[in-house]
């Protein structure tokens, strides 16, 4: 947006050639292994330890006075060699005979007085300028350099046929160093240059222009003169010199560089060039001396399209600025550039102007420039970078009558907008507006051209984009980088936005809805922001990760976490956090469901296994044991008083009393039954526990009736608990009647386990098998009868 149109349409030929040369060097320099830079190292000779693979070698600005064939003969791949600014006095080109790939050879700014003619045919760029040659160092062998396109030469004298050996070559650029040129008084020399597109002549920087030489060139397109020092007396010498050079109709670009002149002489040069075929006139580093007075100038029809003057030093301190400004404002050309000058103003043309492009970069213009100017109706591009502009409201008024203005660049000023200034008025055709590097705030969005398509607000003081702003429905590109924005914009006011540059702001939690709101986005650059890597960022990362890398510029390298500290520097693409920890509602639901499931499960298990019943049993067991520990020592002494404690259902008491007990007592076994051995006054539970502990065995008579008796289950529980507590095997299970598994309640899981894991004695219905049953009962008691007897005897002796 800020580049001059002439640099886009028709850049100078010498710039093109220079770019081509530099591009060649950079191309090779990209591979560090093949490029060697040893400039400014105070070398006196070429180093011997260079890699044979070297392609680019820069040993400029050293103290090398001589080259030998051994210095570079082994560099067979050498393509670029820079030896400028050394102390070479003579050179034999035959030392390059092994460097058949050499294309670029710079020997400028040495002390060469003599060279040989054995040149390398592959060379394309040969610079021998700024040396001490007496005559131009051209010999017939130069005619064999068929690939040569740049040639730099030096000489103190010129002869008409010096360049005849290369007349048939189609050179692109010839540089003639004439700093040391001198000619005898009243003697005019001639030099014929048959073929070149660009001619660059360099004169002595501290001498008045006095060259008496006729130089003629066929088909010259670009001419550059450097070091031109003029006064009112020798001004005509330059004009006469130019008359010889600009005789043909082909010259398009004319450049003067490092010019010191009077205003009067400068106007005369302009007047000379005005009717000539020159289309682009450029003056760099202009110094104006003596005085600035009004000079006659005829703005006749001209081929000139663009005038560029950059870096003006004005050594005239008292003069009429109107004279200076009027001279430029009335020019009938399309493009005018006056940059880096001391101009504080520019006048509005008096008549309808032909200007389409105006560039006044780096002046000291204020808001008053071009106010109420209705003559710039053809102006399409206006550049006012780096001036003293302050009020955005005034800039809008300035463009009011510029009905063709499309591009306005007012960057690098001190622009600000106060909404109390009133509604802004802009030229209706402005499509590109550069407001970067000012001091604008959020209010700028209330003062913009309604049809702007490209808006640059880089490096301002914008903190947010207000929701209530004017609709910029035509806006396609927005640059708000390097501000203080905390959020991505909503495209509600930018319905056509396709390019957004918003990096280097203060965006920590960008909205995940951005891509839904801005569906026409084709390019976004939002990196280098202080992203806060928390749950809120997850959806944005997911959305941006689904967009093409061609759309999201800098992804993923420029998108990194800034906080919390544990994630600092982590690329957003590698940031991971679970959805559960980020969604509070989901987390609460998950916890609630888990607790509910756990509660239901525990409740079901409690119901299935009758957990409350077991808790009561544990509590009663614990209480009973606790009371037992508090009894006197003599009561605490535990002895086995019974061979067996029998647990049975009252419905099975007939079998127990008529069959089981009589048989056991007949075998001299002491049997504990609850109806005769429970101690009155103690609780049933305590009696059960005491009887079980004082009995060597616990016999359980199992039947469907047993299953239905809760007291039987108490006795079974305490007996089983005692089995693990005492570490003995004291359970005898007698199955009086079969018990189907599906008839056993779920809370009797211990009974199920005992019947599955332990051997039980089944009461046979056939009398013939009763003998075997009683034999098994006796076997369960025989092993401990002696112990029971001893315990009983010991108890008798104590009494």
């Amino acid at each position: 947006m800020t580049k001059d149109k002439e640099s886009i349409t028709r850049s100078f030929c010498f710039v093109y050639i220079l770019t081509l040369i530099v591009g060649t060097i950079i191309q090779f320099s990209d591979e560090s292994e093949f490029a060697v830079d040893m400039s400014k190292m105070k070398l006196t000779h070429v180093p011997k330890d260079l890699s044979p693979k070297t392609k680019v070698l820069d040993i400029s600005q050293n103290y090398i006075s001589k080259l030998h064939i051994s210095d570079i003969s082994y560099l067979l791949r050498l393509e670029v060699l820079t030896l400028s600014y050394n102390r070479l006095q003579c050179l034999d080109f035959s030392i390059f005979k092994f460097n058949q790939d050499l294309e670029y050879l710079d020997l400028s700014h040495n002390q060469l007085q003599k060279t040989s003619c054995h040149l390398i045919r592959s060379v394309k760029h040969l610079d021998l300028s700024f040396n001490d040659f007496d005559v131009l160092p051209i010999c017939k062998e130069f005619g064999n350099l068929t690939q040569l396109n740049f040639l730099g030469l030096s000489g103190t004298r010129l002869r008409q046929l010096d360049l005849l050996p290369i007349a048939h070559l189609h050179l692109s650029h010839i540089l003639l160093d004439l700093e040391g040129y001198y000619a005898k008084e009243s003697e005019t020399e001639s030099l014929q240059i048959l073929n070149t597109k660009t001619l660059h002549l360099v004169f002595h920087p501290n001498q008045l222009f006095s060259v008496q030489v006729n130089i003629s060139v066929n088909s010259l397109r670009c001419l550059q003169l450097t070091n031109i020092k003029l006064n009112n007396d020798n001004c005509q010498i330059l004009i006469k010199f130019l008359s010889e050079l600009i005789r043909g109709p082909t010259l398009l670009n004319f450049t003067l560089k490092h010019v010191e002149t009077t205003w009067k002489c400068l106007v005369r040069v302009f007047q000379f060039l005005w009717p000539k075929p020159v289309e682009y006139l450029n003056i760099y580093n202009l110094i104006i001396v003596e005085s600035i007075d009004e000079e006659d100038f005829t703005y006749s029809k001209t081929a000139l399209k663009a005038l560029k003057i950059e870096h003006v030093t004005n050594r005239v301190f008292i003069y009429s600025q109107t004279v200076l400004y009027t001279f430029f404002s009335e020019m009938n050309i399309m493009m005018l550039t006056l940059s880096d000058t001391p101009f504080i103003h520019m006048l509005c043309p008096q008549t309808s102007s032909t200007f389409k492009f105006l560039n006044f970069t780096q002046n000291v213009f204020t808001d008053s420039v071009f106010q109420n100017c209705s003559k710039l109706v053809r102006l399409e591009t206006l550049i006012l970078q780096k001036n003293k502009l302050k009020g955005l409201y005034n800039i809008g008024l300035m463009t009011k009558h510029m009905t063709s203005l499309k591009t306005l660049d007012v960057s690098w000023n001190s622009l600000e907008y106060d909404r109390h200034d009133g509604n802004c008025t802009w030229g209706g055709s402005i499509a590109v507006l550069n407001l970067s590097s000012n001091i604008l705030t959020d209010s700028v969005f209330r003062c913009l051209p309604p049809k702007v398509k490209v808006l640059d607000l880089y490096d301002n003081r914008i903190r947010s984009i207000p929701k209530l702003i004017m609709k910029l429905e035509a806006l396609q590109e927005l640059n708000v980088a390097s501000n203080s924005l905390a959020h991505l914009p909503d495209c509600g006011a930018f319905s056509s936005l396709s390019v957004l540059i918003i990096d280097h702001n203060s965006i920590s939690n960008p909205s995940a809805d951005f891509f839904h709101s801005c569906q026409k986005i084709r390019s976004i650059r939002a990196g280098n922001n202080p992203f806060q890597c928390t749950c809120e960022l997850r959806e944005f990362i997911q959305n941006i990760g689904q967009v093409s890398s061609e759309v999201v510029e800098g992804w993923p390298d420029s998108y990194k976490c800034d906080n919390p500290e544990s994630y600092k520097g982590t690329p957003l693409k590698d940031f991971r956090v679970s959805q559960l920890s980020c969604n509070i509602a989901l987390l609460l639901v998950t916890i609630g469901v888990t607790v509910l499931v756990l509660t239901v499960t525990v409740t079901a298990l409690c119901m299935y296994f009758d957990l409350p019943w077991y808790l009561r049993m544990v509590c009663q067991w614990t209480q009973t044991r606790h009371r037992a520990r508090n009894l006197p020592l003599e009561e605490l002494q535990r002895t086995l008083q019974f061979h067996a404690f029998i647990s049975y259902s009252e419905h099975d008491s007939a079998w127990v009393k008529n069959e089981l007990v009589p048989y056991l007592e007949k075998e001299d076994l002491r049997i504990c039954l609850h109806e005769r051995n429970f101690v009155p006054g103690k609780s049933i539970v305590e009696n059960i526990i005491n009887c079980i502990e004082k009995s060597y065995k616990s016999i359980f008579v199992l039947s469907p009736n047993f299953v239905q008796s809760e007291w039987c289950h108490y006795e079974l529980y305490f007996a089983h608990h005692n089995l693990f507590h005492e570490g003995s095997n004291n359970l005898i299970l007698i199955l009086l009647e079969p018990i189907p598994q599906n008839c056993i309640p779920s809370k009797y899981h211990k009974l199920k386990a005992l019947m599955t894991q332990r051997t039980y004695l089944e009461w046979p219905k056939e009398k013939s098998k009763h003998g075997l049953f009683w034999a098994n009962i006796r076997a369960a008691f025989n092993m401990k009868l002696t112990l029971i007897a001893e315990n009983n005897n010991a108890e008798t002796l104590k009494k």
Side-chain angles (χ1 to χ4, degrees), residues 640-654:
L640 294 176
Q641 299 177 9
F642 305 100
H643 286 84
F645 167 74
I646 301 177
S647 175
Y648 58 94
S649 170
E650 287 298 324
H651 297 285
D652 300 324
S653 62

Side-chain angles (χ1 to χ4, degrees), residues 46 73 89 111 119 196 218 260 286 313 500 505 529 548 553 559 561 577 597 714 728 741 745 767 780:
V46 179
S73 60
Q89 295 182 357
Q111 301 168 12
L119 296 178
T196 187
N218 294 339
E260 181 179 325
L286 171 64
T313 301
L500 175 63
N505 272 277
N529 274 289
S548 170
E553 294 188 32
Y559 296 75
C561 300
V577 63
V597 170
Y714 271 108
S728 59
Q741 286 287 328
K767 289 186 177 182

Side-chain angles (χ1 to χ4, degrees), residues 37-48 50 57-68 71-72 81-91 95-96 106-112 131:
D37 184 358
M38 305 190 76
S39 59
K40 300 180 182 180
M41 297 182 67
K42 300 181 180 180
L43 300 175
T44 57
H45 61 276
V46 179
K48 301 293 186 181
L50 298 175
L57 177 58
D58 184 354
I59 47 177
S60 61
Q61 302 184 63
N62 282 293
Y63 304 137
I64 300 173
S65 59
K66 195 168 184 178
L67 284 180
H68 302 89
D71 291 337
I72 55 174
L81 177 59
T82 304
L83 274 162
S84 58
Y85 293 97
N86 275 281
R87 297 178 179 179
L88 296 174
Q89 295 182 357
C90 61
L91 181 66
I95 65 173
F96 301 114
D106 186 353
L107 296 165
S108 63
H109 297 278
N110 276 278
Q111 301 168 12
L112 290 173
N131 279 284

Side-chain angles (χ1 to χ4, degrees), residues 374-522:
S374 60
K375 304 301 181 182
L376 297 172
V377 293
R378 300 183 186 179
L379 187 63
E380 297 178 358
T381 300
L382 176 60
I383 302 175
L384 296 172
Q385 279 187 12
K386 298 181 180 179
N387 279 277
K388 301 295 182 180
L389 307 178
K390 294 184 177 180
L392 185 61
Y393 176 81
N394 295 329
I395 299 303
L397 286 179
M398 176 187 68
T399 66
K400 180 178 180 181
H401 300 291
M402 299 177 183
T403 55
S404 300
L405 187 64
K406 296 178 181 177
T407 301
L408 175 63
D409 186 348
V410 286
S411 59
W412 293 95
N413 281 279
S414 301
L415 288 174
E416 53 187 336
Y417 171 68
D418 187 343
R419 56 184 178 181
H420 298 297
D421 292 339
N423 295 329
C424 295
T425 302
W426 293 89
S429 58
I430 297 177
V432 179
L433 178 60
N434 190 342
L435 296 171
S436 63
S437 299
N438 282 285
I439 53 175
L440 296 164
T441 61
D442 306 358
S443 60
V444 67
F445 289 97
R446 307 178 190 276
C447 181
L448 293 171
K451 296 183 180 179
V452 64
K453 295 181 179 179
V454 179
L455 177 61
D456 192 342
L457 288 166
Y458 169 86
D459 188 23
N460 277 278
R461 299 178 182 179
I462 302 171
R463 293 182 176 273
S464 65
I465 298 177
K467 292 184 178 180
L468 298 177
I469 62 174
M470 58 185 300
K471 296 288 185 179
L472 300 175
E473 297 180 352
L475 186 64
Q476 298 176 3
E477 299 183 21
L478 175 62
N479 184 351
V480 285
S482 296
N483 279 276
S484 301
L485 288 162
H487 303 284
L488 292 175
D490 188 329
C491 288
F494 315 125
S495 56
S496 300
L497 190 65
S498 61
V499 176
L500 175 63
I501 303 173
I502 197 169
D503 52 340
H504 294 284
N505 272 277
S506 301
I507 300 174
S508 58
N509 292 305
S511 172
D513 296 330
F514 172 76
F515 290 101
H516 298 292
S517 170
C518 305
Q519 296 186 358
K520 293 186 178 180
I521 284 291
R522 297 293 176 267

Side-chain angles (χ1 to χ4, degrees), residues 498-672:
S498 61
V499 176
L500 175 63
I501 303 173
I502 197 169
D503 52 340
H504 294 284
N505 272 277
S506 301
I507 300 174
S508 58
N509 292 305
S511 172
D513 296 330
F514 172 76
F515 290 101
H516 298 292
S517 170
C518 305
Q519 296 186 358
K520 293 186 178 180
I521 284 291
R522 297 293 176 267
S523 175
I524 178 174
R525 190 164 74 221
N528 299 297
N529 274 289
F531 294 110
Q532 185 175 359
C533 289
T534 57
C535 294
E536 290 76 8
L537 202 64
R538 290 178 66 254
E539 190 174 351
F540 173 77
I541 296 174
Q542 292 174 356
N543 290 345
I544 204 171
Q546 295 172 357
V547 180
S548 170
S549 58
E550 297 178 356
V551 174
V552 185
E553 294 188 32
W555 178 266
D557 297 338
S558 300
Y559 296 75
K560 297 181 179 180
C561 300
D562 186 68
N563 58 77
E565 193 66 27
S566 57
Y567 285 106
K568 190 176 182 66
T570 302
L572 295 194
K573 69 178 182 67
D574 297 332
F575 173 64
R576 299 288 186 273
V577 63
S578 67
Q579 184 175 359
L580 186 62
S581 61
C582 289
N583 192 327
I584 300 299
L586 180 61
L587 180 60
L588 293 176
V589 169
T590 303
I591 294 174
V593 170
T594 303
V595 171
L596 180 60
V597 170
L598 184 60
T599 302
V600 171
T601 302
V602 171
T603 303
L605 290 173
C606 288
M607 293 176 64
Y608 183 79
F609 294 112
D610 200 4
L611 187 60
W613 186 88
Y614 283 104
L615 291 176
R616 283 201 312 272
M617 293 300 98
V618 172
C619 182
Q620 292 175 355
W621 170 268
T622 304
Q623 291 174 353
T624 302
R625 301 294 294 181
H626 178 71
R627 285 197 298 271
R629 283 198 297 270
N630 294 328
L631 291 175
L633 183 61
E634 60 273 9
E635 294 185 28
L636 192 60
Q637 181 69 37
R638 180 182 179 276
T639 59
L640 294 176
Q641 299 177 9
F642 305 100
H643 286 84
F645 167 74
I646 301 177
S647 175
Y648 58 94
S649 170
E650 287 298 324
H651 297 285
D652 300 324
S653 62
W655 182 85
V656 172
K657 294 177 180 179
N658 297 329
E659 295 285 347
L660 181 61
V661 173
Y663 177 81
L664 295 176
E665 290 181 340
K666 185 180 67 173
E667 295 291 333
D668 295 328
L669 298 179
R670 298 182 63 184
I671 303 302
C672 179

